[in-house]
């Protein structure tokens, strides 16, 4: 960094460092409230869960999708987006599906979440399929015009 | 750059600073909304002596906390898309070019770990599930500062590379050969569109817990604002709070500690002027639902006991534990809409909504709308 740092960037560095230090101090000195022996493994687990599990799985799924659709490049991006939407819906629904919630409280998590997720995934699949079909019809029409 | 016939590019031209900037700004914007609204919620629950929280607008907490959870859920696809975009950079060789670069890379760890921790623990907290030993609000609060700090440092490091428009910097101008977009533009649009659609999907699937018109489509919402006794959801049942016996005891009295101490039973309270207010219960979990409450004004009861107008009072429940009392500042205590409610939607309160008496005030987190009230004292 040969040039001088603009003032606003220096301030951002300083404020960021202070905030980072404050948060770290809160977390490490919070006693049973922040329970570092539980919260630190959750922090590390979140990082590893993404970098070592979720991200490689996504890369592998992408690789597979690209192989399967080698002859249909127009469908790739639609399928990838549809799969991404599905994955996000699954992640957002996961806590309600995996937990008992508050067992003595009927008003907490009152819905049938498995059914709700199923409906959303079907909708997503139908929409994705529709877009793939539309894309291939468009491609065929273009070919015919050129041919 | 090799351009295919349909204008797309082989190689990964779209994994560039522009896509990273756009996704980063979107994810960072959502996180900033979470941070700001989280500060507001913290200030409600941990009031400071020099600032008395305004009691209006009535719906303020409903909006800030609803936004907190909506933005947090919207951040899930945005953060995942951004991380996926930059994931290959994790394996760059050599990993570190000098001390400054080393610090920059090192501080990505608390940023990513912190953001994912906030999203995961936040989502899990929405369904009242606590598979850990820390107290969720305390850890969420501490890690919020870690994320805010690491994000600020990250933005400060990356600022010279940020680019939102096409054609800027060293790359060739957009659409150089008439009709063909900038390299990677088709893929970039697809990535951004996919992320946008995912944000829309998760938002519609959950926002109905606070936006009532959406409750029919929000099939993944942790709450349904219409499901609960007397038409309102409950966060903590009388059974979970272990107050069933005490709350139904005929010997129950509201004790008001003041210059003229008062002890009032249900008949005494019913004989005082009754007032009505339509107020929302707005919870930290981001759901909210409004009810028509009626009862006595808190300020009338404070006046009865000779409590001055400029003090902070504490409303104490029959419940013991973390949420056994809540502070009410002078603005809230003197607001004509702040009630000690006896009735909800035309019926006497049910036990789960705080029978015999509960506090309900404008612009307050649900956790501070103390149920099963037994005592009021000056702080």
């Amino acid at each position: 960094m040969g040039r001088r740092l603009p003032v606003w960037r220096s301030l951002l560095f300083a404020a960021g460092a202070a905030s980072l230090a404050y948060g770290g101090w809160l977390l490490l000195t919070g006693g049973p409230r922040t329970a570092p022996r539980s919260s630190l493994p959750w922090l590390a687990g979140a990082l590893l869960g993404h970098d070592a599990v979720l991200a490689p799985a996504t890369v592998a799924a992408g690789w597979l999708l690209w192989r399967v659709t080698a002859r249909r490049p127009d469908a790739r991006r639609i399928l990838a987006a549809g799969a991404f939407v599905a994955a996000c819906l699954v992640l957002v629904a996961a806590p309600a599906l995996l937990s008992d919630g508050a067992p003595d409280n009927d008003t907490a998590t009152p819905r049938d979440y498995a059914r709700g997720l199923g409906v959303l995934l079907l909708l997503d699949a139908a929409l994705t399929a529709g877009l793939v079909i539309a894309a291939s019809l468009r491609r065929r029409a273009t070919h015919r015009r050129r041919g | 750059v090799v351009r295919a016939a349909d204008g797309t590019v082989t190689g990964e031209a779209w994994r560039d600073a522009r896509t990273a900037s756009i996704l980063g700004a979107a994810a960072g914007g959502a996180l900033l909304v979470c941070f700001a609204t989280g500060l507001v919620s913290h200030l409600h629950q941990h009031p400071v002596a020099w600032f008395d929280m305004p009691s209006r607008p009535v719906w303020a907490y409903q909006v800030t906390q609803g936004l907190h959870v909506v933005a947090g859920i919207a951040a899930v696809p945005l953060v995942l898309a951004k991380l996926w975009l930059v994931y290959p950079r994790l394996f760059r060789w050599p990993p570190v070019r000098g001390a400054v670069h080393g610090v920059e890379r090192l501080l990505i760890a608390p940023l990513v770990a912190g953001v994912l921790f906030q999203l995961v623990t936040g989502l899990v907290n929405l369904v009242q599930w606590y598979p850990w030993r820390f107290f969720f609000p305390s850890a969420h609060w501490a890690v919020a500062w870690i994320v805010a700090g690491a994000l600020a440092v990250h933005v400060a490091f990356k600022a010279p590379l940020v680019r939102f428009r096409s054609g800027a910097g060293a790359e060739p101008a957009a659409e150089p050969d008439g009709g063909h977009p900038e390299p990677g533009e088709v893929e970039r649009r697809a990535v951004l569109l996919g992320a946008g659609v995912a944000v829309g999907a998760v938002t519609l699937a959950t926002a109905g817990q606070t936006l009532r018109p959406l409750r029919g489509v929000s099939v993944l919402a942790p709450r349904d604002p219409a499901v609960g006794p007397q038409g309102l959801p409950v966060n903590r049942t009388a059974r979970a709070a272990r107050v069933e016996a005490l709350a139904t005891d005929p010997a129950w009295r509201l004790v008001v500690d003041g210059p003229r101490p008062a002890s009032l039973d249900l008949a005494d309270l019913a004989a005082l002027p009754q007032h009505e207010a339509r107020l929302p219960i707005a919870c930290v979990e981001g759901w909210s639902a409004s009810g028509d409450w009626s009862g006595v004004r808190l300020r009338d009861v404070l006046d009865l006991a000779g409590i001055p107008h400029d003090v902070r009072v504490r409303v104490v429940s029959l419940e013991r534990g973390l949420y056994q009392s809540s502070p009410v500042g002078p603005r809230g205590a003197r607001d004509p809409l702040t009630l000690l409610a006896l009735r909800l939607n035309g019926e006497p309160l049910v036990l789960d909504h705080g029978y015999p008496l509960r506090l309900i005030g404008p612009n307050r987190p649900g956790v501070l709308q103390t149920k099963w009230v037994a005592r009021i004292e000056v702080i």
Side-chain angles (χ1 to χ4, degrees), chain B residues 145-156:
Chain B
W145 287 99
I146 293 177
V147 171
L151 189 56
V153 171
H154 179 68
V155 170

Side-chain angles (χ1 to χ4, degrees), chain B residues 64-365:
Chain B
T64 61
Q65 197 59 22
L67 260 179
H68 185 80
V69 172
V70 167
I73 290 174
V76 170
L78 293 172
V79 165
L80 288 178
K82 164 83 182 181
L83 288 178
W84 170 75
L85 186 79
V86 297
Y87 186 60
R89 301 170 73 88
L90 188 60
F91 306 101
R92 259 186 320 179
W93 206 261
V96 169
R97 310 181 307 265
V100 174
H101 185 236
V103 171
E104 178 184 343
R105 292 211 69 189
L106 201 66
L107 290 179
I108 300 284
L111 176 58
V112 176
V115 168
L116 294 170
F117 178 92
Q118 294 297 75
L119 296 183
V120 170
T121 58
L123 279 174
V124 169
N125 172 68
L126 293 188
V127 300
Q128 301 199 339
W129 181 25
Y130 304 100
W132 45 62
R133 290 212 321 280
F134 48 84
F135 178 51
F136 168 73
S138 301
H140 206 62
W141 171 245
V143 177
W145 287 99
I146 293 177
V147 171
L151 189 56
V153 171
H154 179 68
V155 170
F157 269 121
K158 294 294 188 192
L161 301 174
V162 170
R163 186 168 78 86
F164 293 109
R165 297 200 189 171
S166 66
E171 298 197 18
E175 315 203 358
D177 46 3
H180 278 317
E182 181 183 13
E185 189 60 24
V186 175
E187 291 84 348
R188 172 165 31 247
R189 283 185 193 154
V191 168
L192 296 178
L193 197 66
V197 171
V199 167
V202 295
T203 304
L204 285 176
T206 52
Q209 67 169 340
T210 185
L211 294 171
R212 218 178 163 99
L214 286 180
R215 60 174 279 263
V217 294
S218 289
V219 292
L220 301 183
R223 292 291 181 139
D224 182 335
V227 170
Q230 298 181 300
L232 275 190
V234 170
N235 230 27
R236 194 157 166 77
T237 60
R239 190 159 165 209
R242 297 190 195 161
V243 296
E244 287 163 304
L246 286 170
T248 51
D249 186 343
W252 174 88
R253 296 284 183 281
L254 170 67
V255 176
V256 191
D257 250 355
R260 292 191 299 274
S263 173
L264 308 161
D265 64 13
L266 274 176
D268 297 331
L269 286 164
L272 288 171
Q274 300 292 303
H275 295 274
E276 291 187 3
R278 182 161 182 82
L279 293 172
I281 296 270
C283 266
V284 287
E285 287 91 357
W287 63 269
S288 63
S290 291
D292 291 307
W293 309 88
S294 69
V296 299
R297 282 180 175 153
L298 175 61
R299 69 179 188 192
D300 291 350
V301 172
L302 298 182
D303 286 344
L304 204 71
I307 294 173
H309 286 206
D310 55 349
V311 298
R312 197 179 284 270
V313 296
R314 181 186 293 129
V315 176
V316 187
S317 172
L318 294 169
E319 180 185 0
R320 288 289 154 263
L322 213 51
Y323 299 113
Q324 67 182 31
S325 74
S326 67
V328 189
R331 283 173 167 160
R334 294 293 154 185
D335 192 303
L337 292 182
T338 303
L339 301 182
L340 290 166
L342 296 157
R343 303 171 70 81
L344 165 59
N345 293 336
E347 299 163 16
L349 288 174
V350 296
L351 208 47
D352 280 346
H353 280 310
Y355 175 89
L357 189 70
R358 83 169 296 167
L359 176 67
I360 183 85
N363 187 23
R364 286 174 75 75

Side-chain angles (χ1 to χ4, degrees), chain A residues 4-66:
Chain A
R4 264 189 64 204
L5 208 55
V7 175
W8 72 268
R9 274 182 74 199
S10 327
L11 288 175
L12 208 53
F13 274 121
S19 175
L20 194 57
Y22 177 58
W25 176 80
L26 280 177
L27 191 74
L28 295 176
T29 63
R33 295 200 141 233
T34 54
R37 288 175 67 176
S38 177
S39 52
L40 289 177
W42 272 82
L43 275 162
L47 185 61
L48 286 175
H50 178 270
D51 284 6
V53 181
L54 195 60
T58 309
V59 170
W63 179 81
L64 200 69
L65 177 68
W66 251 238

